[in-house]
Amino acid sequence: MRVAFLGLGIMGRSMAANLVKAGNDVTVWNRSPKAVEGAKTAVSPKEAAANAEVVWVCVSDTAAVEQVLTGKDGAFESLKPGMIVADSSTILPEISVKFAEQARERGADFVDAPVTGSKIAAEGGTLIFMTGGKDETIQKLDPLLKAMGKTVIRIGDNGKGLGAKLAMNLMIALIYEGFAEALTLATKLGVDQQALFSLIQSSMVRSGVVDYKMPFVEKRDFSPNFPLRLMHKDIRLMLEAAKESGVKLPALETVKNIYDKAHEAGRDDLDYAATLLTVEELAKGK
Amino acid sequence: MRVAFLGLGIMGRSMAANLVKAGNDVTVWNRSPKAVEGAKTAVSPKEAAANAEVVWVCVSDTAAVEQVLTGKDGAFESLKPGMIVADSSTILPEISVKFAEQARERGADFVDAPVTGSKIAAEGGTLIFMTGGKDETIQKLDPLLKAMGKTVIRIGDNGKGLGAKLAMNLMIALIYEGFAEALTLATKLGVDQQALFSLIQSSMVRSGVVDYKMPFVEKRDFSPNFPLRLMHKDIRLMLEAAKESGVKLPALETVKNIYDKAHEAGRDDLDYAATLLTVEELAKGK
């Protein structure tokens, strides 16, 4: 397929590379110019999308999605009937629904296709996609989804993929916070870290989230896989979506305060695992 | 071995039954009289312990441990040099250390051996033990530990098993709260519950905690496996231990507020999974 891929961040660059590997005719665009081996490079989203059957977006926030789709030289300037726009960015579900309406008014279609999985899953093509949109449209995307992911879960109509994605990241944030608070308490109580890690791995609290982070925490290596500022942004989205739908999420609100403090401490570009440092500092009364 | 087993609650009765099955000479005692097939029944902890090599305790809180050990007709009235007392109750680590000192002053020894795992794990003898105490003492208990559990993790000296246990339950409480808030948000955003459950099970947020609770949540069956009042008690212990060691656990404090509300709503004897109802009610502005 002829695919325009917009956004070559930590996830996007590997996703685009996997589309190339699977034999697609890929044209990439990124805000700061970047190339992907085997893909053409365009100077604007509009140019990337000019000849595409599918436009795939993977950028960091709502403003960036708006810019690459409906901004000046945005992909929608090249939108033609029959084209499909798929968005793997994490944004508010209701805003995604509006993009879908705009695309349909012009005879194209739109799917929200956020992903879960680490940088390594993006590289290995083992991401999990949560899709929202029309069945037949998602079916057309199947070869592309399979090139980038191992699992595609159809959640519902437009915006529902994003609803599931926010729920998923909410769980990640709280699982990690539980680990951070448990580790901080156990350490103060004199529990050996290795013994605690063994216990976690042999018990019902074991999760992929903590399995993935434990070796980094052990080395105190907080280099970014999922940057703290992006999880912070996702938490703000969850709370915004919650507020608009009349839901209270008390533990998530508390976790947001910790991310606020981590942000103030200049940890935006570390991994979100660095919120452990903030929890430890609370213990020290900072 | 000749074992006195004190406390036949949800966990204790299965643990005692597994000691019997493994060929031990078991005498049981429970506050409200209960029997275990194949075991003798005693009228007091003192009587149960009179002829025992090992006294195993599994009761609900600090007051109950004090009562069965050092209270009137308590097991310590039968304490003799060489005896071992093992406590699987979840209590404050520092209090457990005091019991250990008292036992040692009288030539006996003491191990904290809290467990993690469900009612089903207790029945099947697949609990995980976290032990704190002297190596040689824990080795003597090995046949008993293996009769009741599949995994024994030696955490450190006295009180450290309990430190690990509090950390473990902290993680359970926060994992479940994350699930409850995620489900509440996703439902309001129109995400199908089955799709969300499939997603959870195929992604890195999957854990034994949520795997175990999901079918019950699906049926809205909140009959107790781990009663809410016991998790509530454990959370208070964690916060007490945290306060005494100068640690702040902000998300756990928030979760405690939810348990406080669930308690006020009369949910003490439901499973702790019923905190979902309280989260849902917050959403409705109750």
Side-chain angles (χ1 to χ4, degrees):
Chain A
M1 282 177 132
R2 294 189 306 280
V3 185
F5 201 101
L6 312 178
L8 302 171
I10 290 178
M11 304 300 276
R13 63 189 174 210
S14 297
M15 292 163 72
N18 281 325
L19 289 177
V20 171
K21 261 187 233 164
N24 295 287
D25 177 2
V26 181
T27 303
V28 299
W29 171 86
N30 191 62
R31 194 176 40 179
S32 61
K34 281 185 191 171
V36 167
E37 209 184 316
K40 282 164 257 176
T41 304
V43 298
S44 69
K46 177 186 176 178
E47 187 190 291
N51 202 27
E53 295 162 281
V54 174
V55 176
W56 210 289
V57 183
C58 189
V59 295
S60 62
D61 57 24
T62 307
V65 177
E66 257 170 359
Q67 187 59 40
V68 303
L69 291 185
T70 59
K72 187 176 163 352
D73 292 325
F76 273 24
E77 292 187 10
S78 295
L79 199 66
K80 283 179 277 294
M83 270 171 70
I84 303 171
V85 179
D87 186 12
S88 290
S89 318
T90 303
I91 63 172
L92 267 190
E94 58 177 49
I95 293 180
S96 186
V97 169
K98 281 181 192 154
F99 288 130
E101 286 163 2
Q102 289 175 46
R104 291 208 184 112
E105 279 163 14
R106 297 164 67 175
D109 203 2
F110 191 98
V111 167
D112 50 306
V115 294
T116 186
S118 63
K119 185 174 80 168
I120 292 162
E123 287 165 6
T126 59
L127 290 167
I128 296 167
F129 283 93
M130 296 148 269
T131 60
K134 288 186 189 162
D135 264 336
E136 61 270 30
T137 308
I138 294 166
Q139 272 164 29
K140 284 181 197 156
L141 296 177
D142 202 56
L144 305 180
L145 290 162
K146 294 281 167 58
M148 298 182 282
K150 65 170 177 184
T151 309
V152 180
I153 299 182
R154 193 183 178 298
I155 308 289
D157 55 2
N158 283 94
K160 302 299 185 280
L162 281 162
K165 169 66 193 258
L166 293 181
M168 188 72 10
N169 277 18
L170 193 166
M171 288 184 71
I172 293 174
L174 262 71
I175 288 170
Y176 187 77
E177 177 65 17
F179 171 66
E181 295 193 8
L183 179 59
T184 303
L185 175 62
T187 302
K188 276 277 183 166
L189 294 177
V191 172
D192 174 67
Q193 187 176 284
Q194 281 310 318
L196 184 70
F197 286 3
S198 299
L199 177 63
I200 289 172
Q201 293 206 298
S202 50
S203 80
M204 60 172 11
V205 301
R206 182 177 196 167
S207 68
V209 174
V210 170
D211 274 358
Y212 186 62
K213 294 302 178 198
M214 261 186 328
F216 294 99
V217 166
E218 205 178 340
K219 290 178 280 178
R220 309 292 286 185
D221 171 4
F222 297 111
S223 54
N225 282 295
F226 184 16
L228 197 146
R229 71 185 153 74
L230 291 185
M231 183 63 105
H232 197 182
K233 183 248 337 176
D234 287 357
I235 291 173
R236 286 193 300 266
L237 285 183
M238 294 165 211
L239 290 173
E240 204 177 327
K243 197 176 169 189
E244 281 169 13
S245 47
V247 174
K248 284 259 185 205
L249 305 171
L252 185 68
E253 280 172 28
T254 302
V255 170
K256 179 182 171 288
N257 293 338
I258 292 165
Y259 279 77
D260 289 348
K261 284 197 171 72
H263 160 74
E264 285 158 23
R267 298 188 171 125
D268 275 356
D269 294 322
L270 298 180
D271 192 82
Y272 79 88
T275 49
L276 172 64
L277 301 172
T278 301
V279 172
E280 289 172 345
E281 285 164 5
L282 292 174
K284 289 180 202 137
K286 269 196 200 173
Chain B
M1 282 178 134
R2 294 188 309 279
V3 186
F5 202 100
L6 312 177
L8 302 171
I10 290 179
M11 305 301 275
R13 62 188 175 212
S14 297
M15 292 163 71
N18 282 325
L19 289 178
V20 172
K21 260 187 235 164
N24 295 286
D25 177 2
V26 181
T27 304
V28 299
W29 170 86
N30 191 62
R31 194 176 39 180
S32 61
K34 280 186 194 173
V36 167
E37 208 184 316
K40 281 164 261 177
T41 304
V43 298
S44 68
K46 178 185 175 181
E47 186 190 293
N51 201 27
E53 296 163 281
V54 174
V55 175
W56 210 288
V57 183
C58 189
V59 294
S60 62
D61 57 24
T62 307
V65 176
E66 260 173 355
Q67 187 60 40
V68 304
L69 290 185
T70 59
K72 188 179 162 352
D73 292 325
F76 274 24
E77 292 187 10
S78 297
L79 199 66
K80 283 179 274 294
M83 269 172 70
I84 303 172
V85 179
D87 186 13
S88 290
S89 318
T90 303
I91 62 172
L92 267 189
E94 60 178 46
I95 292 180
S96 186
V97 169
K98 280 179 195 157
F99 288 129
E101 285 163 3
Q102 289 176 47
R104 289 206 186 115
E105 279 163 14
R106 298 164 66 174
D109 203 3
F110 191 98
V111 167
D112 50 304
V115 294
T116 186
S118 61
K119 183 173 80 169
I120 293 162
E123 286 165 6
T126 59
L127 290 167
I128 296 166
F129 283 93
M130 296 148 268
T131 60
K134 286 187 189 162
D135 264 335
E136 60 272 28
T137 307
I138 294 166
Q139 271 163 27
K140 284 181 197 157
L141 296 177
D142 202 55
L144 304 180
L145 291 161
K146 294 280 166 59
M148 299 183 280
K150 65 169 179 187
T151 309
V152 180
I153 300 181
R154 193 185 179 300
I155 307 290
D157 54 4
N158 282 94
K160 301 300 186 281
L162 281 164
K165 168 67 193 259
L166 293 180
M168 189 72 11
N169 277 17
L170 194 165
M171 288 184 70
I172 293 175
L174 263 71
I175 288 171
Y176 187 77
E177 177 66 18
F179 171 66
E181 295 194 8
L183 179 58
T184 304
L185 175 63
T187 302
K188 276 277 185 168
L189 294 176
V191 172
D192 173 67
Q193 186 176 285
Q194 281 310 320
L196 184 70
F197 285 3
S198 299
L199 177 62
I200 289 171
Q201 293 205 298
S202 49
S203 79
M204 60 171 13
V205 302
R206 181 176 196 168
S207 69
V209 175
V210 171
D211 274 358
Y212 187 61
K213 294 301 176 198
M214 261 185 332
F216 293 100
V217 166
E218 206 178 337
K219 289 177 280 178
R220 310 292 284 184
D221 171 3
F222 298 111
S223 53
N225 281 297
F226 184 16
L228 196 147
R229 70 184 154 75
L230 290 185
M231 182 63 105
H232 197 184
K233 182 246 342 175
D234 287 358
I235 292 173
R236 286 193 299 265
L237 285 182
M238 294 165 210
L239 290 173
E240 205 178 326
K243 197 178 169 189
E244 280 168 15
S245 47
V247 173
K248 285 259 186 204
L249 306 172
L252 185 68
E253 281 172 26
T254 302
V255 170
K256 180 182 171 290
N257 294 338
I258 292 164
Y259 279 76
D260 290 347
K261 283 198 171 72
H263 161 73
E264 286 160 22
R267 298 190 172 123
D268 275 356
D269 294 321
L270 298 180
D271 193 82
Y272 78 88
T275 50
L276 172 64
L277 301 172
T278 302
V279 172
E280 289 172 346
E281 285 163 5
L282 292 174
K284 289 179 202 138
K286 269 196 200 173

